[in-house]
Amino acid sequence: MLQIGWEFRKEAEDALFMNYLYGLLCMHSIFTKCDPHLTGRVTVPVLWDKETELIVNNESSEIIRMLNSLFNQLTGNYVDYYPIE
């Protein structure tokens, strides 16, 4: 997180930090893509839907739960990664 918040690096040594989808500079731009009137602080992680161009979720425990089973039939992976309470 830098001066403008969570920032995407244009020339990063680690390509995981780059935003390939829109060429945006920071995470706040992703949030304002959904709501142009947003003025508050934004959070990560973000689960983004490319087709609807909307944030599906930005709560890490819920994202883990969703990714744990939502795509099981598509991937064939039925391993449970969600931590036990």
Side-chain angles (χ1 to χ4, degrees), residues 16-67:
L16 293 175
F17 289 101
M18 297 176 71
N19 179 352
Y20 293 104
L21 199 54
Y22 302 106
L24 299 172
L25 296 177
C26 61
M27 182 59 76
H28 196 275
S29 299
I30 292 287
F31 277 76
T32 55
K33 189 166 182 56
C34 294
D35 180 1
H37 304 291
L38 180 78
T39 59
R41 194 176 158 156
V42 302
T43 60
V44 293
V46 169
L47 184 57
W48 178 259
D49 184 328
K50 287 188 336 183
E51 290 185 22
T52 63
E53 295 190 331
L54 294 172
I55 294 172
V56 175
N57 202 309
N58 66 330
E59 168 51 48
S60 60
S61 64
E62 291 176 14
I63 292 172
I64 290 170
R65 235 177 284 138
M66 293 165 82
L67 294 178

